[in-house]
Structures are given as C-alpha cells and as structure tokens.
Amino acid sequence: AACLLLCALCGAETGSGMGLLEGCTLLYPEALVLDTDIYHRVRIDAAGIDTSREELALDVIKAVGPRGHFLAHRHTRDRIGKLRLSDLTVPLGVGDSYRDPIERGRERTEWILENHHPQPLEEAQQSELKRILQVADHALAL
C-alpha cells in the first residue's frame, strides 16, 4: 500500500504487481482481490484530505478537550457513517466477527469465478482491437 500510495503521490496513474507474489512471477487470484482492496484505499487516500473548517472541526476539538473523546459528539456521529471501510478486513455486518482477510479474499474470488459473466465486446470494439493488435504485430516485426 505504501509503495502504491507513493506512486500515486508522484503522479503515476497505476502501479505494478497487483495480484503477483515472488517478484511478479506467481499470480494468485485471491491476492488480486486483496490488492484491489488496497488499490481503492490508496485511491481514496491519494484524493486528498478535506481541510475545510467544517471537516477539521477545530471547535469540536476545543470543546472536547485533551482528555475527552469524540464518540458522543454530533460531528463524529454525522461523519462516521461516511467512512469507507473494507469488507475484506473489517467486520461490517451485525454479528460479524473478524475473519482472516485471505479467507475472505478466497471466498470473493470463488464467488467471482462462479457468478461473474462479462458481456462480450460489441463487433465494432472487437474489430478495433484486432486492428490495434495487427498494427502492433507489424511494428514488432520490423
């Protein structure tokens, strides 16, 4: 996550190695699911932090004081539901308990493999892809 965030902060639009282990030589589908979760967390973090007066809530910090807590404060209650938490690493349902993220990743991978049925590309899109590949093959043959 730290490397991917550094790439994002430097202006890169992507990073490498998602789903890959051992120096990009082994692909594990469940690792790809877990890495996708990390990617989305980094994407959210790289989007920036809202430092507006309302979000920083300095007046709330002052009201709560150094030994108080924010859980009972209206500002906290209004915003806690907006947090984006991972359903792979954080129990989100009522009665859910912590489970190994790798186990959850494997379950999600199995679900995807059994239930995801992508729509085929339209004929025009297939033709364009074939054209692009032919141009690339020709360029590589030179």
Side-chain angles (χ1 to χ4, degrees), residues 1-2 4-5 17-19 28-46 83-92 98-102 104-106 108-109 112:
L4 192 57
L5 181 58
M18 290 184 68
Y28 290 93
E30 63 270 20
L32 187 57
V33 169
L34 293 167
D35 287 350
T36 300
D37 192 66
I38 292 170
Y39 163 79
H40 286 294
R41 179 79 256 151
V42 168
R43 182 180 54 80
I44 292 165
D45 291 346
L83 289 175
R84 291 186 172 178
L85 302 174
S86 167
D87 61 343
L88 291 175
T89 56
V90 177
L92 296 178
Y98 175 81
R99 289 182 37 224
D100 183 3
I102 295 173
R104 287 182 181 223
R106 285 184 184 132
R108 169 115 12 111
T109 300
I112 291 169

Side-chain angles (χ1 to χ4, degrees), residues 36-101:
T36 300
D37 192 66
I38 292 170
Y39 163 79
H40 286 294
R41 179 79 256 151
V42 168
R43 182 180 54 80
I44 292 165
D45 291 346
I49 298 171
D50 185 353
T51 57
S52 67
R53 192 169 194 81
E54 177 63 23
E55 286 303 311
L56 285 180
L58 296 177
D59 55 332
V60 175
I61 294 170
K62 186 176 182 180
V64 169
R67 295 214 160 123
H69 66 80
F70 298 89
L71 296 178
H73 204 280
R74 181 78 164 158
H75 186 272
T76 303
R77 291 193 313 269
D78 288 346
R79 282 158 180 75
I80 200 145
K82 296 177 186 176
L83 289 175
R84 291 186 172 178
L85 302 174
S86 167
D87 61 343
L88 291 175
T89 56
V90 177
L92 296 178
V94 175
D96 278 355
S97 60
Y98 175 81
R99 289 182 37 224
D100 183 3

